[in-house]
């Protein structure tokens, strides 16, 4: 049970200051556009928070590009919109935190081979819901999601979109419950990212073979038997290695119910 | 609530994070964004104010200028300029008007054209409606016609059905009548045969009495004296006379001679009812000769065969005649109107013999193709084929029902067939090819003419040869020489190669007479069933009727 409200609230309240700047080669006005500063929730996704910024910059670009899709990069690295913002920051600037986070806005030369297209927020919603379902399959064999009604799904999504903690967690806590006689999930939905951006996803059980709770340390030893002093970061914090996996999954998962951990 | 060191560490890290990342910038960013919005709104306001200012300045200069004298000049100039502009505008307007007028004219023309087209279309439409109306009327007419015709058709169909039913009933009646007729004819024949027997009996009686009388006379005469022995010779003559009288039915002289056909005459047959003789010849015809009036009179020629006719046969009522032909077919004619009724094709060899099988609607044929076929004339098809294994030269049907068939074959055998079974029931082996068969009236004796120049009399009750007839000068003329029983079965006759017709007594085996008048081999003979007239035909074209007419 995800009942440690303090941790949840701290995680939820995490926000990042971001400074958007339009790419130099796309400015079509004499006057330089002002940089656009905004605070964004760490748990949100870029397409949900960039509407105002986009309107601001549309005035400064050539008219023929105004309908084309917008994309962002950090130091020449295109940002994948389908990852939570906080996770992207951890992955790209975790070792060298610089705030506010300077991002460049592009309207042309969409990197087709790196990014997925995102025409509107329905695409984000579809991606989010499918990830939640995947996590639920791992945790409860999909039983919780399939018993939820459509309005529950909607509430989950609207809670995230509108940054409403209570609305979101009223539904999400059902996903965080463990079912059956044994405490804990079937498997932990977890994605591990190395600092070059490659993602690996493994089947990880919350318990050891002898039935005791598995800690982060034990999992790392299982997954990286030849590496030592591996540290894992999520939500901008380095996780103590004796943290139990079950608790970690219940409290430190992103809204898509996955643990996104950066390995370094 | 679980926890431990790790939880506290996480909490403190998170708090530190939020402090560093969020709290430090929160106010700054909010303030910045407020400033950003303010800048934007101020920019907009500024723009609007500049516009307003510009407008105010323009009107301001106007009002300032009107106050002074020089200003009025400027004003006039301005007004003139305005007028100039107005005039220019006017001319351009005029020009535009002219253009518009031209456009109106062209449009009017177009409208005119369109009206014309419209009129033409109207005319076409009215024409078409008229046509449609007339077509509709026509359709109506045809529909009524059709319904009338359908009604008529229905009536006709009903009538046809009624007529069909009536026809079926009448046909049924006809069939019954025919059956009755047949039975009556059979009865008549039976009575006639009885009459003949009785007559014969009476004759015998009479002769017996006469011979008795003669014997008595002879005894008396013998008793009278031996000197009058010369008288006895005359009395012997008398006996012979009386004997010849006893054989009154024995034909002795040729009553009629005539040329029947062009070429060979193959078959001859008396009608069972009239004094009508049918002959069939190699000239592909069957001819009917009426001899009732002591002269020969041709009654009809039955044509249709494509090759020589090998055999002719009347049915029991004398109404139909069947002819077997070398063209592999058999044909049935009606005697009364001499029309060809049926052509029975199916044999693959010459048809040697064709006979009615009991009733006039069934025919049996025997062929050179070694089969016998039974035909039903009502359905006009072959109902049965019997595989005899040897070429059939002649065949007879044993009784009224036609259930037994006897056929004579090239392989010297006589075969017996039951119509209900497929196979031959029995056979008799003879010394030579069987050329013809004839059955006595009581169906007990079978006459077979054999190519070894004998005539065999077979008792059918025992299936044995009871008598054989031959003579040193008797030679069978051809493979289809026809022998025949005389009326009552006491005599038999057959034609020979030397042109004579030999007559034997059936009971005694005595050769009664040799009737020699033909110049070529006699092929067939036939006895008239009541009068005892004998008809014979030869390989020339000659036919002769023997006996007293």
């Amino acid at each position: 049970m995800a009942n440690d409200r303090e941790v949840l609230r701290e995680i939820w309240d995490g926000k990042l200051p971001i400074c958007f700047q339009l790419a130099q080669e796309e400015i079509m006005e004499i006057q330089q556009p002002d940089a656009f500063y905004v605070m964004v929730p760490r748990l949100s996704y870029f397409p949900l928070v960039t509407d105002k910024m986009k309107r601001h910059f549309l005035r400064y670009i050539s008219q023929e590009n105004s309908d084309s899709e917008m994309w962002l990069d950090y130091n020449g690295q295109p940002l994948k919109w389908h990852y939570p913002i906080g996770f992207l920051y951890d992955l790209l600037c975790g070792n060298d935190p610089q705030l506010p986070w300077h991002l460049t806005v592009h309207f042309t030369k969409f990197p087709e081979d790196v990014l997925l297209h995102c025409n509107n927020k329905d695409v984000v919603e579809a991606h989010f819901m499918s990830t939640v379902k995947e996590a639920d399959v791992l945790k409860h064999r999909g039983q919780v999601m399939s018993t939820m009604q459509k309005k529950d799904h909607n509430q989950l999504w609207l809670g995230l979109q509108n940054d409403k903690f209570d609305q979101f967690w009223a539904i999400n806590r059902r996903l965080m419950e463990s079912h059956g006689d044994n405490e804990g999930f079937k498997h932990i939905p977890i994605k591990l990212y190395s600092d070059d951006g490659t993602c690996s996803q493994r089947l990880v059980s919350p318990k050891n073979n002898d039935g005791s709770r598995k800690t982060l340390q034990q999992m790392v030893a299982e997954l990286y038997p030849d590496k030592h002093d591996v540290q894992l970061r999520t939500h901008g914090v380095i996780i103590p290695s004796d943290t139990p996996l079950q608790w970690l999954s219940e409290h430190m998962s992103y809204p898509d119910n996955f643990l996104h951990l950066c390995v370094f | 609530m679980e926890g431990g060191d790790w939880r506290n560490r996480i909490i403190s890290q998170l708090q530190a994070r939020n402090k560093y990342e969020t709290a430090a910038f929160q106010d700054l960013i909010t303030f910045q964004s407020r400033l950003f919005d303010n800048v934007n709104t101020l920019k907009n306001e500024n723009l609007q104010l500049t516009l307003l200012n510009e407008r105010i300045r323009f009107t301001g200069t106007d009002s300032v200028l009107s106050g002074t004298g020089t200003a009025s000049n400027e004003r006039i100039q301005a007004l003139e300029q305005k007028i100039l502009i107005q005039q220019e505008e006017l001319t351009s307007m005029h020009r535009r008007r002219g253009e518009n007028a031209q456009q109106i004219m062209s449009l009017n023309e177009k409208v005119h054209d369109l009206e014309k087209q419209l009129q033409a279309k109207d005319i076409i439409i009215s024409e078409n409606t008229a046509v449609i109306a007339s077509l509709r009327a026509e359709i109506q007419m045809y529909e009524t016609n059709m319904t009338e015709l359908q009604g008529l058709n229905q009536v006709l169909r009903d009538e046809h059905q009624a007529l069909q039913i009536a026809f079926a009933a009448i046909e049924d009646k006809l069939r019954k009548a025919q059956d009755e007729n047949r039975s009556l004819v059979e009865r008549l024949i039976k009575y006639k045969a009885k009459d003949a027997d009785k007559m014969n009996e009476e004759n015998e009686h009479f002769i017996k009495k006469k011979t008795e009388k003669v014997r008595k006379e002879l005894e008396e005469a013998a008793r009278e004296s031996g000197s009058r022995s010369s008288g006895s010779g005359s009395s012997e003559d008398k006996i012979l006379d009386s004997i010849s009288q006893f054989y009154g039915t024995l034909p002795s002289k040729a009553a009629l001679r005539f040329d029947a056909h062009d070429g060979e005459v193959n078959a001859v047959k008396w009608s069972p009812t009239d004094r009508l003789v049918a002959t069939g010849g190699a000239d592909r015809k069957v001819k009917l000769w009426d001899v009732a009036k002591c002269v020969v009179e041709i009654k009809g020629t039955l044509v249709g065969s494509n090759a020589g006719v090998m055999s002719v046969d009347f049915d029991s009522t004398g109404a139909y005649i069947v002819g077997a032909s070398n063209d592999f077919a058999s044909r049935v004619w009606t005697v009364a109107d001499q029309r060809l009724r049926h052509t029975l094709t199916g044999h693959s060899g010459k048809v040697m013999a064709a006979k009615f099988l009991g009733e006039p609607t069934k025919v049996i044929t025997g062929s050179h193709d070694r089969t016998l076929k039974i035909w039903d004339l009502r359905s006009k098809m072959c109902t049965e084929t019997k595989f005899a294994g040897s070429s059939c030269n002649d065949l007879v049907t044993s009784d009224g029902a036609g259930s037994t068939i006897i056929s004579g074959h090239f392989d010297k055998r006589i075969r017996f067939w039951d119509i209900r079974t497929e196979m031959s029931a029995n056979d008799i082996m003879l010394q030579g090819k069987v050329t013809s068969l004839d059955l006595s009236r009581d169906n007990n004796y079978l006459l077979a003419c054999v190519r070894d120049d004998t005539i065999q009399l077979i008792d059918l009750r025992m299936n044995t040869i009871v008598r054989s007839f031959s003579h040193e000068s008797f030679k069978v003329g051809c493979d289809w020489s026809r022998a025949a029983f005389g009326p009552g079965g006491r005599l038999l006759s057959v034609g020979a190669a030397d042109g004579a017709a030999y007559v034997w007594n059936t009971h005694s085996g005595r050769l009664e007479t040799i009737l020699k008048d033909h110049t070529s081999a006699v092929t067939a003979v036939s006895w008239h069933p009541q009068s005892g007239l004998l008809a014979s035909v030869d390989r020339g074209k000659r036919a002769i009727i023997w006996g007293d007419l």
Side-chain angles (χ1 to χ4, degrees):
Chain A
M1 267 306 282
N3 45 13
D4 196 341
R5 217 177 142 79
E6 189 182 358
V7 178
L8 298 178
R9 190 77 224 190
E10 288 291 343
I11 289 172
W12 185 271
D13 285 340
K15 285 183 182 170
L16 281 173
I18 296 182
C19 169
F20 292 103
Q21 275 171 321
L22 190 58
Q24 280 298 320
E25 66 270 20
E26 295 189 18
I27 300 170
M28 301 299 281
E29 293 285 311
I30 303 153
Q31 206 180 353
Q32 283 281 324
D34 295 327
F36 191 87
Y37 290 87
V38 71
M39 290 296 284
V40 296
R42 268 177 161 272
L43 302 183
S44 189
Y45 295 88
F46 274 120
L48 305 182
V49 295
T50 52
D51 284 348
K52 198 175 173 191
M53 177 274 286
K54 192 176 173 184
R55 267 206 306 281
H56 170 66
F57 286 121
L58 272 177
R59 276 182 274 169
Y60 298 94
I61 61 162
S62 92
Q63 208 63 35
E64 66 243 30
N65 292 332
S66 61
D67 285 338
S68 56
E69 200 178 327
M70 187 194 74
W71 58 282
L72 305 169
D73 87 60
Y74 172 71
N75 277 351
Q77 257 183 304
L79 298 186
K80 294 175 181 169
W81 56 263
H82 57 275
Y83 290 146
I85 296 167
F87 163 71
L88 283 170
Y89 178 75
D90 290 342
L91 185 69
L92 298 174
C93 325
N95 298 325
D96 181 22
Q98 282 180 334
L99 288 173
W101 197 19
H102 284 270
L103 298 180
T104 314
V105 180
H106 298 265
F107 286 90
T108 57
K109 295 178 197 157
F110 191 87
E112 306 275 352
D113 48 343
V114 185
L115 297 189
L116 297 173
H117 279 284
C118 173
N119 297 319
N120 50 37
K121 290 175 187 171
D122 292 345
V123 181
V124 188
E125 181 183 359
H127 172 259
F128 173 75
M129 293 315 296
S130 77
T131 317
V132 173
K133 276 176 198 164
E134 184 187 345
D136 189 46
V137 169
L138 287 170
K139 287 191 285 189
H140 314 109
R141 298 190 174 144
Q143 282 165 351
V144 181
M145 273 306 270
S146 56
T147 52
M148 278 186 188
Q149 290 177 338
K150 178 68 187 161
K151 72 172 172 56
D152 298 332
H153 293 177
N154 276 341
Q155 189 180 336
L156 199 66
W157 170 243
L158 288 173
L160 175 72
Q161 198 182 355
N162 299 330
D163 200 18
K164 296 274 165 56
F165 177 82
D166 294 322
Q167 193 181 351
F168 178 81
W169 271 100
I171 304 300
N172 200 40
R173 54 191 289 279
R174 281 158 65 184
L175 290 167
M176 288 303 171
E177 281 167 4
S178 42
H179 282 263
D181 41 358
N182 55 337
E183 287 285 308
F185 300 148
K186 288 262 170 245
H187 300 284
I188 301 297
I190 187 165
K191 286 180 180 177
L192 293 156
Y193 301 85
S194 49
D195 42 7
D196 56 356
T198 53
C199 165
S200 70
Q201 188 172 352
R202 308 280 182 90
L203 264 187
V204 177
S205 171
K207 285 181 184 163
N208 289 317
N209 291 335
D210 56 1
S212 62
R213 298 203 299 182
K214 193 182 271 187
T215 62
L216 196 64
Q217 175 126 48
Q218 284 161 335
M219 181 198 79
V220 167
E222 254 175 49
L223 297 183
Y224 302 101
D226 47 351
K227 276 197 202 173
H228 302 288
D229 64 346
V230 174
Q231 285 195 299
L232 293 170
R233 185 195 288 122
T234 188
H235 296 296
V237 302
I238 291 169
I239 306 158
S241 56
D242 52 351
T243 315
L245 275 179
Q246 177 71 28
W247 186 91
L248 200 65
S249 181
E250 282 170 3
H251 295 86
M252 304 281 276
S253 285
Y254 278 89
D256 59 8
N257 280 235
F258 265 91
L259 279 170
H260 294 276
L261 304 180
C262 301
V263 183
F264 63 97
Chain B
M1 197 80 155
E2 33 178 350
D5 185 28
W6 44 269
R7 184 183 166 270
N8 293 335
R9 268 192 283 161
I10 285 170
I11 285 281
S12 61
Q13 277 193 67
L14 280 173
Q15 279 166 349
R17 179 198 79 175
N18 283 352
K19 205 172 176 183
Y20 171 68
E21 287 178 356
T22 312
F25 292 92
Q26 182 81 47
D27 294 339
L28 205 65
I29 297 288
T30 352
F31 189 61
Q32 194 270 343
S33 63
R34 205 184 301 147
L35 280 179
F36 189 83
D37 291 344
N38 276 352
V39 165
N40 271 349
T41 46
L42 284 174
K43 260 185 195 164
N44 281 338
E45 247 172 59
N46 207 359
L47 202 70
Q48 274 172 0
L49 282 174
T50 340
L51 275 176
L52 206 68
N53 198 10
E54 204 65 29
R55 209 176 295 152
I56 287 165
R57 196 186 297 158
F58 188 73
T59 48
T61 49
D62 271 7
S63 59
V64 166
L65 283 175
S66 63
T68 62
T70 50
S72 74
N73 264 353
E74 272 178 30
R75 217 168 135 195
I76 287 163
Q77 260 178 358
L79 283 172
E80 268 173 358
Q81 219 156 6
K82 235 184 205 174
I83 287 167
L84 223 74
I85 291 164
Q86 297 281 0
Q87 264 172 346
E88 257 172 44
E89 226 167 84
L90 193 71
T91 49
S92 73
M93 284 294 200
H94 273 300
R95 210 175 300 141
R96 211 177 287 165
R97 213 184 96 187
E99 279 168 17
N100 284 343
Q102 209 148 14
Q103 252 176 4
I104 286 168
M105 258 155 76
S106 68
L107 284 174
N108 267 347
E109 224 165 284
K110 241 184 223 171
V111 165
H112 204 64
D113 280 357
L114 286 172
E115 261 172 13
K116 262 189 198 165
Q117 277 179 14
L118 198 69
Q119 268 175 353
K121 291 249 164 88
D122 273 346
I123 290 165
I124 290 170
I125 286 168
S126 61
E127 276 170 10
N128 283 343
T129 44
V131 169
I132 286 167
S134 69
L135 285 175
R136 265 205 198 124
E138 242 169 83
I139 288 169
Q140 191 99 31
M141 201 175 76
Y142 285 133
E143 268 173 2
T144 50
N145 263 8
M146 207 166 75
T147 47
E148 271 171 30
L149 283 175
Q150 271 171 348
L152 215 66
N153 194 9
Q154 190 60 41
V155 169
L156 284 174
R157 212 174 280 161
D158 291 352
E159 262 174 37
H160 177 250
Q161 216 149 7
L163 285 174
Q164 195 97 33
I165 291 164
F167 173 71
I170 286 166
E171 210 177 33
D172 230 33
K173 236 185 243 172
L174 174 70
R175 209 161 296 147
K176 262 181 214 160
Q178 271 175 348
D179 287 347
E180 209 178 294
N181 190 13
R182 203 177 313 128
S183 69
L184 284 175
V185 167
E186 265 168 36
R187 254 158 72 189
L188 181 71
I189 289 165
K190 229 179 263 172
Y191 285 138
K192 278 215 173 133
K194 248 185 213 169
D195 274 2
D197 285 351
K198 215 167 248 180
M199 187 92 86
N200 288 341
E201 232 169 74
E202 261 174 30
N203 277 352
E204 267 172 51
H205 219 69
F206 180 70
I207 286 160
K208 241 184 222 170
K209 270 185 184 169
K210 220 170 188 187
T211 45
E212 204 100 324
K213 205 172 148 194
V214 169
R215 201 189 296 149
K216 267 180 193 169
E217 275 177 7
L218 279 174
E219 276 172 9
E220 270 173 34
R223 235 182 285 148
E224 267 175 25
S225 75
S227 61
R228 290 172 67 195
S229 60
S230 60
S232 66
S234 64
S235 68
E236 274 172 15
D237 285 346
K238 263 185 188 171
I239 294 165
L240 281 175
D241 278 352
S242 68
I243 287 168
S244 75
Q245 258 179 355
F246 163 66
Y247 290 112
T249 52
L250 182 70
S252 53
K253 63 177 178 66
L256 292 164
R257 300 183 186 84
F258 52 97
D259 287 346
H261 290 272
D262 298 335
E264 240 175 274
V265 186
N266 288 327
V268 64
K269 197 81 179 182
W270 284 93
S271 163
T273 50
D274 300 315
R275 283 207 171 177
L276 197 63
V277 65
T279 58
D283 61 351
R284 309 194 299 251
K285 291 183 179 108
V286 174
K287 288 186 178 175
L288 296 171
W289 309 90
D290 191 353
V291 295
K293 295 174 195 144
C294 300
V295 283
V296 69
E297 200 179 301
I298 183 154
K299 208 185 160 220
T301 306
L302 310 177
V303 293
S305 285
N306 298 316
V309 175
M310 293 307 293
S311 142
V312 293
D313 186 34
F314 283 94
D315 77 318
S316 58
T317 61
Y320 293 94
I321 185 162
V322 61
S325 173
N326 274 341
D327 65 353
F328 304 179
S330 314
R331 290 176 178 76
V332 177
W333 294 267
T334 42
V335 175
D337 57 3
Q338 289 139 30
R339 281 173 61 181
L340 177 62
R341 292 298 178 184
H342 303 286
T343 301
L344 311 172
T345 53
H347 278 299
S348 55
K350 323 184 221 184
V351 185
M352 301 299 290
K355 293 280 163 72
F356 281 101
L357 191 56
E359 46 197 320
T361 58
K362 272 190 168 174
V363 169
I364 179 152
T365 55
S367 166
H368 196 257
D369 68 359
R370 294 176 286 178
T371 61
L372 311 179
K373 279 180 186 289
I374 298 171
W375 309 82
D376 186 0
L377 299 187
R378 271 189 296 239
S379 55
K380 297 181 181 180
M381 55 187 276
C382 174
T383 55
E384 216 176 322
T385 301
K386 296 197 181 292
F387 296 93
S390 173
S391 169
C392 171
N393 278 333
D394 199 7
L395 53 84
V396 290
T397 58
S398 71
D399 50 6
S403 64
T404 305
I405 302 156
I406 304 162
S407 56
H409 292 270
F410 191 78
D411 65 350
K412 306 178 186 174
R413 284 175 195 277
I414 295 171
R415 289 184 168 78
F416 296 83
W417 307 85
D418 193 315
I419 197 165
R420 288 154 300 199
T421 57
E422 189 86 348
M423 292 306 301
S424 170
N426 197 1
D427 58 20
I428 295 174
M429 183 83 179
L430 297 180
Q431 294 303 312
K433 307 170 197 168
V434 182
T435 66
S436 85
L437 298 172
D438 195 25
L439 206 60
S440 68
R441 187 169 290 280
D442 55 10
N443 291 335
N444 288 337
Y445 295 97
L446 179 71
L447 198 60
C449 181
V450 188
R451 202 64 219 266
D452 66 351
D453 301 332
T454 59
I455 312 292
Q456 305 292 348
L457 184 69
I458 297 158
D459 191 333
L460 291 178
R461 292 164 295 190
M462 293 176 288
N463 274 350
T464 50
I465 299 165
V466 292
R467 191 154 288 145
S468 180
F469 305 93
S470 60
H471 193 262
E472 60 263 32
S473 65
F474 171 68
K475 296 274 183 289
V476 173
C478 57
D479 271 0
W480 52 88
S481 278
R482 309 296 193 199
F485 274 117
R490 273 190 309 122
L491 297 174
L492 66 92
S493 172
V494 67
D498 60 356
Y502 285 70
V503 181
W504 275 279
N505 187 311
T506 315
H507 302 309
S508 62
R510 198 156 59 106
L511 179 64
E512 293 286 358
T513 181
I514 300 172
L515 304 166
K516 182 143 172 54
D517 197 57
H518 289 284
T519 52
S520 52
V522 175
T523 52
V525 295
S526 173
W527 294 85
H528 189 263
Q530 284 105 40
S531 65
L533 290 171
L534 178 67
S536 61
V537 292
D538 66 12
R539 298 190 82 157
K541 47 200 168 175
R542 182 54 62 94
I544 296 176
I545 309 291
W546 304 88
D548 296 314
L549 284 168

